[in-house]
Amino acid sequence: MYCGRFAPTPSGRLHLGSLLSAAGAYLRALSQGGECLLRLEDLDRPRCRPEYKDSICADLKTLGFTFSDQVLVQSDDLNPYQEAVEQLLSTGKAFVCRCSRRQIRERPCQCRELNLPYKKGRAIRLDCEDVPRDFYDERLGSLHLSLLPDSLILKRSDGIFSYNLACVVDDVRQHITEVVRGSDLISSTPLQIYLYHLLGRTPPKFLHLPLIVAADGGKLSKQNHAQPVLERFTPAEAVRLALKLLGQSLDDLQGLTPSEMWQQAASRFDLAAIPRQDITLNLQPVPQLTPAPGGNDCNQLTQ
Ligand SMILES: [Zn+2]
């Protein structure tokens, strides 16, 4: 059975870029007769705040999404990530690194040859020499990445597990069959496929969506203060905008709830209609009108 997921980082309220990823993953799953899971990627603790977990869940609920099963919150249990790191160390492809961030910027890490023991303050990296550079995207076709890093961080020197490691571990344990996400993560995909192979798992399919970029070409993201989508639009307006940006029909949506709009859109979901290029949007910021909601249980979202 098809199983997709939406996996936001709770470092702010839901913005339009995240909504587009959620919409793409959700519509694709529903259109395949499958399910879509929600995962909160909150391992990078300094960037994440508990109140944003609640506000993202509340915003998604207001926007009519219903995710299947329990919400997976990464910080709830770190053991699966540690087990994967140990499995990767046992393959000989992962190694302990004592380089500082500055040293890594200045020259390639050569710690693999030193065979260092792990201790607090040291990172764990993966040698990327054998990473395959070609992969297939379900929307964009065959892709080739010429530039890949020499090595990939798996566990940072401050003990935080990396995005790429955690993403693969979670997609495996959530039995994800297809990953639908923004094309800013295309460069991570070969690295993640390599991790699947080293962990003895079959990679899922991958489908990357266009990004929304600001008129100056910059990425619209939480980092550059993209506005929370529900501060700017009503839920119905936000759903219509997401569908429009994904090239989907807006016919016969009048009078429907956001949830019904997704169902209607999924019944005629057209993958080929999604723009191939990134989407330029010129939204001027408007003053904040409503306070961020809080105190909502993420599990209210699930069936
Ligand atoms: Zn090193």
Side-chain angles (χ1 to χ4, degrees):
M1 181 178 166
Y2 182 101
C3 186
R5 81 327 190 254
F6 172 54
T9 297
S11 59
R13 282 188 68 191
L14 194 79
H15 63 82
L16 194 55
S18 297
L19 172 59
L20 210 65
S21 296
Y26 196 68
L27 290 172
R28 175 75 165 166
L30 293 189
S31 72
Q32 300 284 307
E35 57 179 11
C36 190
L37 308 183
L38 177 64
R39 175 164 88 226
L40 296 173
E41 299 196 332
D42 65 341
L43 290 182
D44 192 352
R45 302 252 180 138
R47 284 179 59 212
C48 300
R49 285 202 249 141
E51 61 266 35
Y52 288 136
K53 288 183 207 170
D54 294 332
S55 70
I56 284 183
C57 290
D59 287 350
L60 289 168
K61 186 165 187 259
T62 304
L63 287 161
F65 292 98
T66 307
F67 293 96
S68 309
D69 209 353
Q70 286 281 329
V71 178
L72 193 156
V73 181
Q74 289 185 326
S75 63
D76 282 353
D77 182 10
L78 301 181
N79 287 322
Y81 313 116
Q82 183 60 36
E83 283 163 18
V85 165
E86 280 162 23
Q87 193 182 339
L88 291 165
L89 281 168
S90 73
T91 66
K93 300 284 186 188
F95 59 92
V96 176
C97 164
R98 65 178 178 193
C99 301
S100 67
R101 272 191 203 182
R102 204 176 114 201
Q103 287 171 322
I104 290 286
R105 275 198 301 271
E106 288 168 356
R107 49 135 181 86
C109 163
Q110 291 173 335
C111 296
R112 189 179 178 193
E113 292 147 36
L114 302 176
N115 211 6
L116 299 163
Y118 180 73
K119 57 176 161 179
K120 210 167 175 233
R122 288 182 174 172
I124 298 175
R125 307 186 74 89
L126 181 77
D127 189 286
C128 291
E129 197 182 7
D130 298 330
V131 174
R133 279 146 203 277
D134 298 285
F135 73 96
Y136 187 79
D137 182 284
E138 298 298 316
R139 191 173 77 88
L140 301 168
S142 296
L143 297 178
H144 174 83
L145 268 90
S146 51
L147 206 63
L148 287 172
D150 297 320
S151 67
L152 173 74
I153 195 94
L154 298 175
K155 188 177 184 179
R156 294 177 359 191
S157 58
D158 59 5
I160 291 178
F161 295 100
S162 76
Y163 160 75
N164 283 301
L165 176 87
C167 182
V168 168
V169 169
D170 291 339
D171 283 336
V172 167
R173 63 190 176 135
Q174 290 193 292
H175 307 289
I176 302 302
T177 61
E178 185 177 72
V179 171
V180 178
R181 60 187 178 190
S183 55
D184 51 331
L185 291 166
I186 281 181
S187 60
S188 288
T189 304
L191 303 167
Q192 293 182 2
I193 290 172
Y194 185 55
L195 282 173
Y196 277 95
H197 289 307
L198 291 180
L199 292 168
R201 302 289 183 159
T202 308
K205 292 177 176 177
F206 290 91
L207 193 163
H208 291 91
L209 300 167
L211 299 180
I212 301 176
V213 294
D216 64 2
K219 189 190 159 200
L220 204 71
S221 71
K222 280 172 277 201
Q223 281 71 31
N224 61 15
H225 310 297
Q227 197 175 14
V229 70
L230 287 175
E231 278 177 16
R232 173 130 201 166
F233 304 103
T234 67
E237 284 170 352
V239 175
R240 292 178 73 90
L241 178 59
L243 292 173
K244 187 173 174 213
L245 294 175
L246 289 173
Q248 307 300 303
S249 167
L250 298 179
D251 294 343
D252 307 320
L253 297 177
Q254 207 64 36
L256 301 185
T257 64
S259 170
E260 291 164 345
M261 290 163 85
W262 294 125
Q263 297 290 339
Q264 172 79 301
S267 70
R268 59 191 180 199
F269 181 58
D270 183 1
L271 189 62
I274 298 176
R276 282 191 75 83
Q277 306 293 329
D278 285 344
I279 301 157
T280 304
L281 203 65
N282 195 5
L283 285 178
Q284 298 302 320
V286 295
Q288 185 171 331
L289 299 173
T290 48
N296 289 278
D297 182 353
C298 285
N299 292 326
Q300 289 174 358
L301 266 172
T302 60
Q303 292 174 321

